[in-house]
Amino acid sequence: MSSGPGAASVPAPEPHDSPPASDPPAGRPARKSSMFSSLKVWNYRLFFMGQVVSNIGTWMQRIAQDWLVLSLTGSSAAVGITTALQFLPMLLFGLYGGVLVDRLRKRPTLLVTQSSMALTAIALAVLTLTGHVQVWHVYVAAFAVGLATVVDNPARQSFVSELVGPKQLQNAVSLNSANFQSARLVGPAVAGILITGVGTGYAFLLNGLSFIAPLTGLLLMRARELHAVERAPRGKGQLREGVRYVTGRPELIWPIVLVGFVGTFAFNFPVYLSAFADDVFHAGAGAYSMFNTLMAVGSVAGALLAARRGTARLRLLIAAAMAFGALEILAATIPTLWMFALLMVPLGLFGMTVNVTTNTSIQMSTDPAMRGRVMALYMMVFLGGSPVGAPIVGWITDTYGARVGLAAGGAVAVAATAVIGLILVRVGNLRLSIGWHRGHPRVRFVPREQREELAPAA
């Protein structure tokens, strides 16, 4: 998170991994980084390419899993339960996973977690292809993947800094998000073809096989080129230490609280989009895949813009979260399929901006020895909210319809963003500044002591 006038909603601490960057000269815009600069690093390039393949498989399984549950039960609430079970372990054990990640070496840890998720996907494929699959099998598989994710997610998030170092961290985090969302362009489309052509089982099988790519990349990395990070020693009270560390820093706790509300109620797209495809537009699995694909187009654009932006500002987070919630409310009122589908693009863009901005600002503001625990808390709140939110929005969607469910999720996001935005302004001791810049009006929040000096000259 950058510092300087108007850079964020609260005073930004200096990043723990690097010296503070000086402000650009007056009148000169902040320097932007190369969009793909972190790909010059051999280890990160291996990591990135492995994730390209695996992420395509992941999106194939997500679509196939949601559609399989819907076809077995005919219930949006059942889809919500599946999502809840997949993220319930993160809610229950996420902080403990962060403590483990801070103690363990990241690369061997990822070899174990990625292998376990591959085996789970293959087991579900066998059950489906042999015609023995039942909805409780899908529930168990979702929960098993969630258990692996408890350690895998914070390990992957914090491993990025070891791959590229502090100078490339913002770029690498953004490219990771672009990678995941680019796979969303391919995975749902392939899943839709497989579901309608040969069935969901082959989507699960291909996902299991796709883990060969990241496992190979991890094995081929050059250990001597990793950026060494001091691991936390075993000791008592490390979990409480991590929580105290976050709650004592407004630049960490309030973004995490915000994404908690957004992730719990507004990011439940498996529930919303499957219901719109099936119940509102009566268009089937093809429309569901199309919605996800178009959302991915916007998400890729948002991630690439973040990679080029080079900074992670809290005011951008607030603006993006507000726009995201407002767009969900608007989408809930759209009467036609094609107009609804087109709105998926800006929804994806602003949703990804929220995700990347929060992720990067938290990592850059966190001591490396605490990063596993802090990222685990972030992922626990962001993903772990689904066990609470998914059944609720699934029930609302089943009872009152998909439009009411989507509008309710957007309304929660807007309300939470407005409240937390005001809190950040108050915590940061900011005031509204209205002036002129290069002949144009400019409205922004600035520290109170700067208000007078930034006022327009008479």
Side-chain angles (χ1 to χ4, degrees):
M1 174 162 42
S2 64
S3 58
S9 298
V10 296
E14 302 299 348
H16 288 277
D17 293 330
S18 60
S22 58
D23 291 334
R28 185 181 301 173
R31 185 177 181 179
K32 298 182 183 294
S33 61
S34 170
M35 188 174 289
F36 303 102
S37 58
S38 56
L39 288 176
K40 297 175 183 178
V41 180
W42 165 258
N43 284 341
Y44 180 73
R45 193 158 62 244
L46 285 174
F47 181 82
F48 184 90
M49 291 188 296
Q51 292 300 309
V52 167
V53 178
S54 180
N55 286 336
I56 291 174
T58 296
W59 277 111
M60 290 171 59
Q61 174 145 334
R62 284 191 176 189
I63 301 301
Q65 176 180 281
D66 296 338
W67 203 255
L68 176 61
V69 171
L70 194 63
S71 64
L72 289 172
T73 65
S75 169
S76 294
V79 177
I81 291 171
T82 308
T83 304
L85 287 170
Q86 187 159 333
F87 298 120
L88 181 61
M90 181 65 72
L91 179 63
L92 297 177
F93 312 118
L95 289 177
Y96 295 97
V99 172
L100 284 175
V101 167
D102 279 338
R103 292 176 181 173
L104 301 173
R105 290 190 300 156
K106 308 300 186 295
R107 186 161 60 141
T109 300
L110 288 171
L111 286 169
V112 173
T113 58
Q114 298 274 296
S115 297
S116 65
M117 287 190 283
L119 293 174
T120 302
I122 291 173
L124 189 56
V126 171
L127 286 169
T128 307
L129 292 172
T130 57
H132 293 96
V133 71
Q134 298 179 37
V135 69
W136 71 267
H137 293 141
V138 185
Y139 289 165
V140 170
F143 189 75
V145 170
L147 285 174
T149 302
V150 167
V151 176
D152 184 80
N153 251 330
R156 277 190 298 107
Q157 299 286 342
S158 55
F159 188 47
V160 173
S161 64
E162 296 185 27
L163 292 171
V164 300
K167 293 182 179 179
Q168 298 287 356
L169 182 59
Q170 159 80 15
N171 183 262
V173 169
S174 301
L175 288 182
N176 278 353
S177 299
N179 183 335
F180 187 69
Q181 298 301 329
S182 296
R184 194 175 177 180
L185 295 171
V186 180
V190 176
I193 294 171
L194 290 174
I195 292 170
T196 56
V198 295
T200 56
Y202 286 97
F204 300 140
L205 178 61
L206 289 178
N207 178 47
L209 296 176
S210 73
F211 282 95
I212 294 173
L215 291 171
T216 301
L218 288 167
L219 292 171
L220 292 177
M221 286 180 182
R222 301 166 183 165
R224 66 183 182 276
E225 295 181 10
L226 294 174
H227 294 256
V229 173
E230 182 181 356
R231 299 202 302 272
R234 294 181 62 89
K236 294 182 179 181
Q238 290 180 319
L239 185 60
R240 292 191 299 272
E241 182 187 8
V243 174
R244 285 197 301 268
Y245 181 86
V246 171
T247 55
R249 290 163 171 77
E251 72 278 2
L252 295 178
I253 185 61
W254 289 115
I256 289 176
V257 171
L258 175 58
V259 299
F261 278 102
V262 175
T264 298
F265 297 102
F267 265 92
N268 281 290
F269 289 109
V271 177
Y272 297 138
L273 299 187
S274 61
F276 266 85
D278 194 43
D279 300 331
V280 177
F281 299 120
H282 309 289
Y288 182 45
S289 296
M290 179 182 67
F291 294 156
N292 279 278
T293 300
L294 288 172
M295 184 171 286
V297 172
S299 298
V300 171
L304 291 177
L305 287 172
R308 182 162 178 77
R309 193 177 298 120
T311 58
R313 299 180 175 185
L314 289 183
R315 68 179 183 184
L316 175 63
L317 170 61
I318 296 298
M322 184 67 73
F324 178 75
L327 281 171
E328 282 200 343
I329 297 172
L330 176 62
T333 68
I334 296 298
T336 61
L337 186 148
W338 69 268
M339 291 178 64
F340 181 85
L342 288 178
L343 266 183
M344 295 300 102
V345 178
L347 263 175
L349 189 150
F350 286 109
M352 182 51 55
T353 302
V354 171
N355 191 350
V356 172
T357 304
T358 308
N359 189 318
T360 307
S361 66
I362 289 173
Q363 290 213 49
M364 293 299 293
S365 302
T366 303
D367 188 287
M370 301 291 296
R371 189 167 284 147
R373 278 164 283 182
V374 173
M375 294 310 296
L377 179 60
Y378 162 65
M379 298 307 297
M380 184 189 76
V381 172
F382 184 55
L383 300 179
S386 291
V388 177
I392 293 174
V393 300
W395 175 81
I396 294 173
T397 300
D398 278 345
T399 306
Y400 301 102
R403 296 189 184 278
V404 174
L406 182 59
V412 170
V414 168
T417 304
V419 171
I420 292 172
L422 291 174
I423 290 172
L424 288 171
V425 168
R426 184 175 180 83
V427 169
N429 195 32
L430 303 178
R431 295 184 65 180
L432 184 67
S433 172
I434 303 176
W436 290 86
H437 179 69
R438 297 181 179 178
H440 300 284
R442 180 168 63 176
V443 180
R444 59 177 178 160
F445 289 104
V446 299
R448 290 178 183 272
E449 60 271 15
Q450 293 185 16
R451 182 173 174 83
E452 295 301 325
E453 63 186 73
L454 291 175

Coordinates of all heavy atoms in Angstrom, one line a residue, residues 284-316:
G284 N -30.4 -23.4 -19.0 CA -29.6 -24.6 -18.7 C -28.1 -24.3 -18.5 O -27.7 -23.1 -18.2
A285 N -27.4 -25.4 -18.5 CA -25.9 -25.3 -18.2 C -25.1 -24.4 -19.1 O -24.1 -23.8 -18.7 CB -25.4 -26.7 -18.2
G286 N -25.5 -24.3 -20.3 CA -24.8 -23.5 -21.3 C -24.8 -22.0 -20.8 O -23.8 -21.3 -20.9
A287 N -26.0 -21.5 -20.4 CA -26.1 -20.1 -19.9 C -25.3 -20.0 -18.6 O -24.6 -18.9 -18.4 CB -27.5 -19.8 -19.7
Y288 N -25.3 -21.0 -17.7 CA -24.5 -20.9 -16.5 C -23.0 -20.7 -16.8 O -22.3 -19.9 -16.2 CB -24.8 -22.1 -15.6 CG -24.1 -22.1 -14.3 CD1 -24.0 -21.0 -13.5 CD2 -23.4 -23.2 -13.8 CE1 -23.4 -21.0 -12.3 CE2 -22.8 -23.3 -12.6 CZ -22.8 -22.1 -11.8 OH -22.2 -22.2 -10.6
S289 N -22.5 -21.5 -17.8 CA -21.1 -21.4 -18.2 C -20.8 -20.1 -18.8 O -19.8 -19.5 -18.6 CB -20.8 -22.6 -19.2 OG -20.9 -23.8 -18.5
M290 N -21.8 -19.6 -19.6 CA -21.6 -18.3 -20.3 C -21.5 -17.2 -19.2 O -20.6 -16.3 -19.4 CB -22.7 -18.0 -21.2 CG -22.6 -16.6 -21.9 SD -24.0 -16.3 -23.0 CE -25.4 -16.1 -21.9
F291 N -22.4 -17.2 -18.2 CA -22.3 -16.2 -17.2 C -20.9 -16.2 -16.5 O -20.3 -15.1 -16.3 CB -23.4 -16.4 -16.1 CG -24.8 -16.3 -16.6 CD1 -25.8 -16.9 -15.9 CD2 -25.1 -15.5 -17.7 CE1 -27.1 -16.8 -16.4 CE2 -26.4 -15.4 -18.2 CZ -27.4 -16.0 -17.5
N292 N -20.4 -17.3 -16.2 CA -19.1 -17.4 -15.5 C -18.0 -17.0 -16.4 O -17.0 -16.3 -16.0 CB -18.9 -18.9 -15.1 CG -19.6 -19.2 -13.7 OD1 -19.1 -18.9 -12.7 ND2 -20.7 -19.8 -13.8
T293 N -18.1 -17.3 -17.7 CA -17.1 -16.9 -18.7 C -17.0 -15.4 -18.8 O -15.9 -14.8 -18.8 CB -17.3 -17.6 -20.0 OG1 -17.3 -19.0 -19.9 CG2 -16.3 -17.2 -21.1
L294 N -18.2 -14.8 -19.0 CA -18.2 -13.3 -19.1 C -17.7 -12.6 -17.9 O -17.1 -11.6 -17.9 CB -19.6 -12.9 -19.5 CG -20.1 -13.2 -20.9 CD1 -21.5 -12.9 -21.1 CD2 -19.2 -12.5 -22.0
M295 N -18.1 -13.2 -16.7 CA -17.6 -12.6 -15.5 C -16.0 -12.7 -15.4 O -15.4 -11.8 -14.9 CB -18.2 -13.3 -14.3 CG -17.8 -12.7 -12.9 SD -18.7 -13.3 -11.5 CE -20.3 -12.5 -11.8
A296 N -15.5 -13.8 -16.0 CA -14.1 -14.0 -16.0 C -13.4 -12.9 -16.9 O -12.3 -12.5 -16.6 CB -13.7 -15.4 -16.5
V297 N -14.1 -12.6 -18.0 CA -13.5 -11.5 -18.9 C -13.3 -10.2 -18.1 O -12.2 -9.6 -18.2 CB -14.4 -11.3 -20.1 CG1 -14.0 -10.1 -20.9 CG2 -14.5 -12.5 -21.0
G298 N -14.3 -9.8 -17.3 CA -14.1 -8.6 -16.5 C -13.0 -8.8 -15.4 O -12.3 -7.9 -15.1
S299 N -13.0 -10.0 -14.8 CA -12.0 -10.3 -13.8 C -10.6 -10.2 -14.3 O -9.7 -9.7 -13.6 CB -12.3 -11.7 -13.2 OG -13.6 -11.7 -12.6
V300 N -10.4 -10.8 -15.5 CA -9.0 -10.7 -16.1 C -8.6 -9.3 -16.3 O -7.5 -8.8 -16.0 CB -9.0 -11.5 -17.4 CG1 -7.7 -11.3 -18.1 CG2 -9.1 -13.0 -17.1
A301 N -9.6 -8.5 -16.8 CA -9.3 -7.1 -17.1 C -8.9 -6.4 -15.7 O -8.0 -5.6 -15.7 CB -10.5 -6.4 -17.7
G302 N -9.7 -6.7 -14.7 CA -9.4 -6.0 -13.4 C -8.1 -6.4 -12.8 O -7.3 -5.6 -12.3
A303 N -7.7 -7.7 -13.0 CA -6.4 -8.2 -12.5 C -5.2 -7.6 -13.3 O -4.2 -7.2 -12.7 CB -6.4 -9.7 -12.5
L304 N -5.4 -7.5 -14.6 CA -4.3 -6.9 -15.4 C -4.1 -5.4 -15.1 O -3.0 -4.9 -15.1 CB -4.5 -7.2 -16.9 CG -4.4 -8.6 -17.3 CD1 -4.8 -8.8 -18.8 CD2 -3.0 -9.2 -17.0
L305 N -5.2 -4.7 -14.9 CA -5.1 -3.3 -14.5 C -4.4 -3.2 -13.2 O -3.6 -2.2 -13.0 CB -6.5 -2.7 -14.5 CG -7.2 -2.4 -15.8 CD1 -8.7 -2.0 -15.6 CD2 -6.4 -1.4 -16.6
A306 N -4.7 -4.1 -12.3 CA -4.0 -4.0 -11.0 C -2.6 -4.3 -11.1 O -1.7 -3.7 -10.4 CB -4.7 -5.0 -10.0
A307 N -2.2 -5.2 -12.0 CA -0.8 -5.5 -12.2 C 0.0 -4.3 -12.8 O 1.1 -4.1 -12.4 CB -0.7 -6.7 -13.2
R308 N -0.7 -3.6 -13.6 CA 0.0 -2.4 -14.2 C -0.1 -1.2 -13.2 O 0.8 -0.3 -13.2 CB -0.7 -2.0 -15.5 CG -0.1 -0.8 -16.2 CD -0.4 -0.7 -17.6 NE 0.2 0.4 -18.2 CZ 1.4 0.5 -18.6 NH1 2.3 -0.5 -18.4 NH2 1.9 1.6 -19.2
R309 N -1.1 -1.2 -12.3 CA -1.2 0.0 -11.4 C -0.1 0.1 -10.5 O 0.4 1.2 -10.2 CB -2.6 -0.2 -10.6 CG -3.0 1.1 -9.9 CD -4.3 0.8 -9.2 NE -5.4 0.5 -10.2 CZ -6.1 -0.7 -10.2 NH1 -5.8 -1.6 -9.3 NH2 -7.0 -0.9 -11.1
G310 N 0.4 -1.0 -9.9 CA 1.6 -0.9 -9.1 C 1.4 -0.5 -7.6 O 2.3 -0.5 -6.8
T311 N 0.1 -0.1 -7.3 CA -0.2 0.3 -5.9 C -1.5 -0.3 -5.5 O -2.3 -0.7 -6.3 CB -0.3 1.9 -5.8 OG1 -1.3 2.4 -6.7 CG2 1.1 2.5 -6.1
A312 N -1.7 -0.4 -4.2 CA -3.0 -0.9 -3.6 C -3.5 0.1 -2.6 O -3.1 0.2 -1.5 CB -2.7 -2.3 -3.0
R313 N -4.5 0.9 -3.0 CA -5.0 2.0 -2.2 C -6.3 1.6 -1.6 O -7.2 1.1 -2.3 CB -5.1 3.3 -3.0 CG -3.7 3.7 -3.6 CD -3.9 5.0 -4.4 NE -2.6 5.5 -4.8 CZ -2.4 6.6 -5.4 NH1 -3.4 7.4 -5.7 NH2 -1.2 7.0 -5.8
L314 N -6.5 2.0 -0.3 CA -7.8 1.6 0.3 C -9.0 2.4 -0.3 O -10.1 2.0 -0.3 CB -7.7 1.9 1.8 CG -6.8 0.9 2.6 CD1 -6.8 1.2 4.1 CD2 -7.2 -0.5 2.3
R315 N -8.7 3.6 -0.8 CA -9.8 4.4 -1.4 C -10.3 3.7 -2.6 O -11.5 3.7 -3.0 CB -9.4 5.8 -1.7 CG -8.3 6.0 -2.8 CD -8.0 7.4 -3.0 NE -7.1 7.6 -4.1 CZ -6.6 8.8 -4.4 NH1 -6.9 9.9 -3.8 NH2 -5.7 8.9 -5.4
L316 N -9.4 3.0 -3.4 CA -9.8 2.2 -4.5 C -10.6 1.0 -4.1 O -11.6 0.7 -4.7 CB -8.5 1.8 -5.3 CG -8.8 0.8 -6.5 CD1 -9.6 1.5 -7.6 CD2 -7.5 0.3 -7.1

